[in-house]
Amino acid sequence: MEDPYQNNVTQPQGGDGGQFTYPPQEGSGPDGYPYQTDFPAKDEEDAASDATEGHDEGEQMYEGEYQGIPHPDEIKEARRAARMEARRKARQEAQLEDEDDLPDQYENIMEDCGHGRFQWTLFAVLGLALMADGVDSYVVGFVLPSAEKDMCITNADKGMLGLLVYVAMLAGALVWGGLSDKLGRRKVLIYVLTIDIVFSFLSCFAQGYGFFLFFRFCSGFGIGGSIPIVYTYFAEFLQIEKRGEHLSWLCMFWMLGGLYASFTAWGIIPHYGWGFAIGTEVQFHGWRAFILVCTFPAIAALVGVIFMPESPRFLLENARHDEAWMILRNVHDTNWKAKGEPERVFTVSPQRQNHINVNPQTVRWNLMCVLQGLFLVIVWFCLAFSYHGLGVWFPDMIKYMQYEEYEAKTRVFHRERVERFHFNFSLVNQIHREGEYIHDKFEDIEMRSVKFEHSLFENCYFEDIRSTNTFFENCTLKNTVFYNTDLWEEKFKDCRMENTTFLHPKKGCHLNFQEENDIVIYLVSFLGSLAVLPGNIISALFMDKIGRIKIIGGSMLGSAACSFLLLLSFSQGAVICWQCLFYAVSVAAWNGLQVISVEVYPTAKRATAFGILNAVCKFAAIIGSFIFASFIGITRIVPIFLAIAALACGGLLALKLPETREKVLS
């Protein structure tokens, strides 16, 4: 019987990549694949001798044959046949006969390539890229307490910096996700990492707030595109049985980024004064070195991606069949050589392509996809709104509790009269009202959180004073000298000065070189990132067993229950405990959403759609952070119930999403 593929090969049309067939070439096999020209023809006797050379016939027999255990290849073929039959029946039931067989062919090829050294190498490289994104999410929060001193950043400017970084990531997710569907996953990921590295490095040395803001914006714009590309890139090298689990393992690298950022910040920025200064214009303190260290994961990822191939699925969609075939053969050979089977030959039999007119039912199917996409957008928004909102609320609430506790210990001195006294010890957390200080000397001391109200200073002398959160309000100063102090205009509010002298004042915002940064900033972030580990492991192990939908819905509803427990927390330790529990439970929902977002969209639009979803995530994070932060110090009920409502609605809506556990990448 004449081979139907020999003289009737369908050529790919345009760039849709719908066919995975090759025209016959001289010296090629009957299926028309040029890779077979690499092997000269052999007669049957030679082929048999090659196959059995150095082996005894008994050694080739499958050892489980007598026990009735099926051969792994037989199991694979049975699964493949069952999947093909299920898809054929599904197409018949839905009357969707316009689909081609490329998804099934590609899945068969990936099964023949196996899962081995190549995927694990790509896993490590893309994991570092994801780790770089996780690090960048923490950088601004860690450096601000110190950077605000170097660059005199006001509270309004600090809020603008945090907002613009998120906006940059949002824009980056939209732009780079779309470009990766046009230019390729590997090429665009190289662009993304390069932009992040260059502008992060420049931000280390930016002395002015304007330049620092611009460099961090550009860095965020670059790294913002990494998440859509990383998951899309890796998913297209995975077979269906491995996809859910290994994409979930990949999610752990974002957690490692948080741990890396927290740990290095804790070690590098314990004191603001670490570093050096050239005059008052050029400062290089610990926080700048911290930003430099934070570029290491991105640099390592960039080096690794350069040596990785392009996604063959992307190449097939763009009719670049020869390139795709060479990459797939390399993946096959790399995996099987590492497993000790270098003799396995890469052979895949293509299936016949049929072109059938689109059925009217396709319109209804497309509407279903739009509706499912809308549900997915809402679930992403609900999870990101609650997660990032509470992510801001946790450390701010702890700081507020610290402030309340600190304020409760404030010592108040009322109408004290101190005359001819030498203050040679630090004044900390004190309020002095209506006091009188006559012929007193304040020398080489630190004033921290000290306030003088309606007090009189007469014939006093201040020398080498270092102050933090110290103010004079409605005070009278007569015949008083300030020598080499940082007590300057902004420290005196509505004060009356008579014959008062300021000699060699220390002006500027970068004066408290020895002031320690609050260790809670690093501790809370470190513990929160570490708490994600058990949730990551559990979700990865059960992603393919119980399905994506149950993982997402159960995790979000469980997170809502954890949020309710925050109403019962009245101490810093309790808040940290519930924070860790919330992160541990909610991470499974993140993993499930990222997996299903890769699987539900077609290859030609996969990264674009994921980029839009990631942009929705950043938009929700901006709104959630602003709303939750505005209630700090006012009430905890409103933000907590907002989080519970969003998580509960998102979790219930997630149950309406399509299950993609057995879905071949379309």
Side-chain angles (χ1 to χ4, degrees), residues 43 57 98-99 129 178 180 195 304 353-354 559 566:
D43 55 31
E57 183 178 354
D98 61 313
E99 294 189 45
S180 68
I195 291 173
Q353 304 296 324
N354 296 319
S559 300
L566 290 170

Side-chain angles (χ1 to χ4, degrees), residues 524-551:
V524 171
S525 299
F526 184 84
L527 292 178
S529 299
L530 191 62
V532 171
L533 180 61
N536 248 319
I537 295 175
I538 293 174
S539 64
L541 294 177
F542 290 95
M543 187 67 68
D544 289 320
K545 291 182 174 61
I546 67 176
R548 288 79 161 118
I549 303 306
K550 293 180 180 178
I551 288 283

Side-chain angles (χ1 to χ4, degrees), residues 345-560:
V345 180
F346 184 42
T347 56
V348 176
S349 298
Q351 298 185 11
R352 187 169 183 171
Q353 304 296 324
N354 296 319
H355 288 279
I356 302 176
N357 293 331
V358 177
N359 191 282
Q361 295 290 335
T362 305
V363 177
R364 188 179 68 180
W365 182 78
N366 287 334
L367 291 176
M368 288 286 293
C369 289
V370 172
L371 186 60
Q372 291 169 354
L374 180 60
F375 286 173
L376 195 56
V377 167
I378 296 174
V379 174
W380 268 88
F381 183 91
C382 291
L383 181 58
F385 174 82
S386 303
Y387 184 90
H388 291 285
L390 287 177
V392 171
W393 186 85
F394 284 128
D396 284 353
M397 191 62 190
I398 292 173
K399 289 180 183 178
Y400 180 73
M401 288 180 171
Q402 287 181 324
Y403 172 76
E404 284 188 322
E405 182 179 351
Y406 190 74
E407 193 176 46
K409 297 179 180 179
T410 300
R411 298 181 60 188
V412 179
F413 298 88
H414 190 65
R415 291 186 177 181
E416 62 178 356
R417 179 181 176 87
V418 182
E419 190 171 355
R420 299 185 183 280
F421 187 79
H422 185 192
F423 288 88
N424 56 1
F425 50 88
S426 295
L427 305 179
V428 180
N429 197 22
Q430 299 177 2
I431 297 178
H432 299 263
R433 297 192 177 114
E434 300 181 13
E436 296 182 1
Y437 303 90
I438 313 298
H439 292 287
D440 293 328
K441 187 175 183 180
F442 301 79
E443 186 177 16
D444 193 21
I445 64 173
E446 180 179 2
M447 295 183 177
R448 184 182 302 173
S449 298
V450 178
K451 183 184 292 186
F452 295 94
E453 299 176 351
H454 302 280
S455 298
L456 171 66
F457 294 86
E458 186 173 353
N459 295 315
C460 293
Y461 182 76
F462 292 80
E463 182 179 354
D464 295 330
I465 304 298
R466 301 173 302 282
S467 65
T468 303
N469 195 30
T470 296
F471 302 97
F472 296 76
E473 295 184 0
N474 298 302
C475 295
T476 300
L477 294 93
K478 299 180 179 179
N479 303 318
T480 297
V481 177
F482 293 86
Y483 180 82
N484 195 34
T485 72
D486 60 6
L487 299 174
W488 194 235
E489 296 176 354
E490 66 275 6
K491 303 286 187 177
F492 299 90
K493 301 179 179 180
D494 301 323
C495 293
R496 186 165 61 92
M497 299 185 182
E498 300 178 5
N499 196 25
T500 298
T501 306
F502 292 87
L503 301 176
H504 302 289
K506 295 185 288 186
K507 302 178 183 179
C509 54
H510 46 277
L511 299 174
N512 301 323
F513 291 111
Q514 301 302 321
E515 182 185 353
E516 294 187 13
N517 292 311
D518 193 351
I519 196 174
V520 174
I521 298 175
Y522 316 121
L523 180 61
V524 171
S525 299
F526 184 84
L527 292 178
S529 299
L530 191 62
V532 171
L533 180 61
N536 248 319
I537 295 175
I538 293 174
S539 64
L541 294 177
F542 290 95
M543 187 67 68
D544 289 320
K545 291 182 174 61
I546 67 176
R548 288 79 161 118
I549 303 306
K550 293 180 180 178
I551 288 283
I552 298 171
S555 174
M556 293 186 71
L557 294 176
S559 300

Side-chain angles (χ1 to χ4, degrees), residues 44 49 60 97 167 192 210 238 276 313 319 471 485 523 525 538:
E44 296 181 0
S49 63
Q60 294 297 317
E97 299 176 340
V167 171
V192 162
L238 295 174
F276 63 88
R313 186 61 188 273
F471 302 97
T485 72
L523 180 61
S525 299
I538 293 174

Side-chain angles (χ1 to χ4, degrees), residues 140-141 143-145 147-166 207-214 216-217 509:
V140 172
V143 304
L144 269 180
E148 63 180 334
K149 303 169 188 173
D150 270 6
M151 295 180 286
C152 304
I153 302 176
T154 64
N155 289 332
D157 289 338
K158 287 191 290 185
M160 179 63 67
L161 176 60
L163 174 64
L164 283 184
V165 169
Y166 267 109
Q207 299 297 314
Y209 174 70
F211 282 109
F212 183 75
L213 185 66
F214 173 74
R216 292 313 306 177
F217 180 88
C509 54

